[in-house]
Coordinates of all heavy atoms in Angstrom, one line a residue:
I10 N -14.4 10.7 44.6 CA -14.3 11.4 45.9 C -15.4 10.8 46.8 O -15.1 10.5 48.0 CB -14.4 12.9 45.7 CG1 -13.1 13.4 45.1 CG2 -14.6 13.6 47.1 CD1 -13.1 14.9 44.6
L11 N -16.6 10.8 46.4 CA -17.7 10.3 47.2 C -17.6 8.9 47.6 O -17.8 8.5 48.7 CB -19.0 10.6 46.5 CG -19.4 12.1 46.4 CD1 -20.6 12.3 45.5 CD2 -19.6 12.7 47.7
S12 N -17.2 8.1 46.6 CA -17.0 6.6 46.8 C -15.9 6.4 47.8 O -16.0 5.5 48.6 CB -16.8 5.9 45.5 OG -17.9 6.0 44.7
G13 N -14.8 7.1 47.6 CA -13.7 7.0 48.6 C -14.1 7.3 50.0 O -13.7 6.6 50.9
G14 N -14.9 8.4 50.2 CA -15.3 8.7 51.5 C -16.2 7.7 52.1 O -16.2 7.3 53.3
A15 N -17.1 7.1 51.2 CA -18.0 6.0 51.7 C -17.2 4.8 52.1 O -17.5 4.2 53.1 CB -19.0 5.7 50.6
K16 N -16.2 4.5 51.3 CA -15.4 3.3 51.6 C -14.7 3.4 52.9 O -14.6 2.5 53.7 CB -14.4 3.1 50.4 CG -13.5 1.8 50.6 CD -12.6 1.6 49.5 CE -11.7 0.4 49.7 NZ -10.7 0.2 48.7
K17 N -14.1 4.6 53.1 CA -13.4 4.9 54.4 C -14.4 4.7 55.6 O -14.0 4.1 56.6 CB -12.9 6.3 54.4 CG -11.7 6.5 53.6 CD -11.2 7.9 53.6 CE -10.1 8.2 52.6 NZ -9.8 9.6 52.5
R18 N -15.6 5.2 55.4 CA -16.6 5.0 56.5 C -16.9 3.6 56.7 O -17.0 3.1 57.9 CB -17.9 5.8 56.2 CG -17.9 7.4 56.3 CD -16.7 8.0 56.8 NE -16.7 9.5 56.9 CZ -16.2 10.3 56.0 NH1 -15.7 9.9 54.9 NH2 -16.2 11.6 56.2
R19 N -17.1 2.8 55.7 CA -17.5 1.4 55.8 C -16.3 0.6 56.5 O -16.6 -0.2 57.4 CB -17.7 0.7 54.4 CG -19.1 1.1 53.9 CD -19.4 0.2 52.6 NE -20.3 0.9 51.8 CZ -20.1 1.7 50.8 NH1 -18.9 1.9 50.3 NH2 -21.1 2.3 50.1
E20 N -15.1 0.9 56.1 CA -14.0 0.3 56.8 C -13.9 0.6 58.2 O -13.6 -0.2 59.1 CB -12.7 0.6 56.0 CG -12.6 0.0 54.7 CD -11.4 0.6 53.8 OE1 -10.7 1.5 54.3 OE2 -11.2 0.0 52.8
A21 N -14.1 1.9 58.6 CA -14.1 2.3 60.0 C -15.2 1.7 60.8 O -15.0 1.2 61.9 CB -14.3 3.9 60.0
I22 N -16.4 1.5 60.2 CA -17.5 0.8 60.8 C -17.1 -0.6 61.2 O -17.3 -1.1 62.3 CB -18.8 0.9 60.0 CG1 -19.3 2.3 59.9 CG2 -19.8 -0.1 60.5 CD1 -20.4 2.5 58.8
E23 N -16.5 -1.3 60.2 CA -16.1 -2.7 60.4 C -15.1 -2.7 61.5 O -15.1 -3.6 62.4 CB -15.5 -3.2 59.1 CG -15.2 -4.7 59.1 CD -14.7 -5.1 57.7 OE1 -15.3 -4.7 56.7 OE2 -13.8 -5.9 57.7
F24 N -14.1 -1.8 61.5 CA -13.0 -1.8 62.5 C -13.6 -1.6 63.9 O -13.3 -2.3 64.8 CB -12.0 -0.7 62.1 CG -10.9 -0.6 63.2 CD1 -9.9 -1.5 63.2 CD2 -11.0 0.5 64.1 CE1 -8.9 -1.3 64.1 CE2 -10.0 0.6 65.0 CZ -8.9 -0.3 65.1
Y25 N -14.5 -0.6 64.0 CA -15.0 -0.2 65.3 C -16.0 -1.3 65.8 O -16.0 -1.6 67.0 CB -15.8 1.1 65.3 CG -14.9 2.3 65.1 CD1 -15.3 3.3 64.2 CD2 -13.7 2.4 65.7 CE1 -14.4 4.5 64.1 CE2 -12.8 3.5 65.6 CZ -13.2 4.5 64.7 OH -12.4 5.6 64.6
D26 N -16.7 -2.0 64.9 CA -17.6 -3.1 65.4 C -16.7 -4.2 65.9 O -17.0 -4.9 66.9 CB -18.4 -3.6 64.2 CG -19.6 -2.7 64.0 OD1 -20.0 -1.9 64.9 OD2 -20.2 -2.7 62.9
K27 N -15.6 -4.5 65.2 CA -14.7 -5.6 65.7 C -14.1 -5.3 67.0 O -13.8 -6.2 67.8 CB -13.6 -5.9 64.6 CG -14.0 -6.6 63.4 CD -12.8 -6.8 62.5 CE -13.3 -7.5 61.2 NZ -12.2 -7.7 60.3
N28 N -13.8 -4.0 67.3 CA -13.1 -3.7 68.5 C -14.1 -3.1 69.6 O -13.6 -2.4 70.5 CB -12.0 -2.6 68.2 CG -10.9 -3.2 67.4 OD1 -10.2 -4.1 67.9 ND2 -10.8 -2.8 66.1
N29 N -15.3 -3.5 69.4 CA -16.3 -3.2 70.5 C -16.4 -1.7 70.8 O -16.3 -1.3 72.0 CB -16.1 -4.0 71.7 CG -17.3 -4.1 72.6 OD1 -18.4 -3.9 72.1 ND2 -17.1 -4.2 73.9
R30 N -16.5 -0.9 69.8 CA -16.7 0.6 69.9 C -18.0 1.0 69.2 O -17.9 1.7 68.2 CB -15.5 1.3 69.3 CG -14.1 1.0 70.0 CD -14.0 1.4 71.5 NE -14.4 2.8 71.7 CZ -13.5 3.8 71.8 NH1 -12.2 3.6 71.7 NH2 -13.9 5.0 72.1
P31 N -19.1 0.7 69.8 CA -20.4 1.0 69.1 C -20.7 2.5 68.9 O -21.3 2.8 67.9 CB -21.4 0.3 70.0 CG -20.8 0.1 71.3 CD -19.3 0.0 71.0
E32 N -20.2 3.3 69.8 CA -20.5 4.7 69.7 C -19.7 5.3 68.5 O -20.3 6.2 67.8 CB -20.1 5.5 71.0 CG -18.7 5.6 71.3 CD -18.0 4.3 71.9 OE1 -18.7 3.3 72.1 OE2 -16.8 4.3 72.0
L33 N -18.5 4.9 68.3 CA -17.7 5.4 67.1 C -18.3 4.8 65.8 O -18.3 5.5 64.8 CB -16.3 5.0 67.3 CG -15.5 5.7 68.4 CD1 -14.1 5.2 68.6 CD2 -15.6 7.2 68.3
A34 N -18.7 3.5 65.9 CA -19.3 2.9 64.7 C -20.6 3.6 64.3 O -20.8 3.8 63.1 CB -19.6 1.4 64.9
Q35 N -21.4 4.0 65.3 CA -22.6 4.7 65.0 C -22.3 6.1 64.3 O -23.0 6.5 63.4 CB -23.4 4.9 66.3 CG -24.7 5.6 66.1 CD -25.7 4.9 65.1 OE1 -25.7 3.7 65.0 NE2 -26.4 5.7 64.3

């Protein structure tokens, strides 16, 4: 459960960084 949550956050960070959304990535 915890690893899955962490993985989702990492993927979201990568997505937001690629799409120039630093506030959401933060």
Side-chain angles (χ1 to χ4, degrees):
I10 289 171
L11 292 170
S12 296
K16 182 179 179 184
K17 286 178 189 173
R18 286 354 181 260
R19 282 189 203 98
E20 289 170 353
I22 290 167
E23 188 177 319
F24 177 79
Y25 291 139
D26 283 341
K27 282 182 183 175
N28 291 295
N29 198 27
R30 297 297 307 265
E32 69 285 352
L33 295 174
Q35 181 57 34

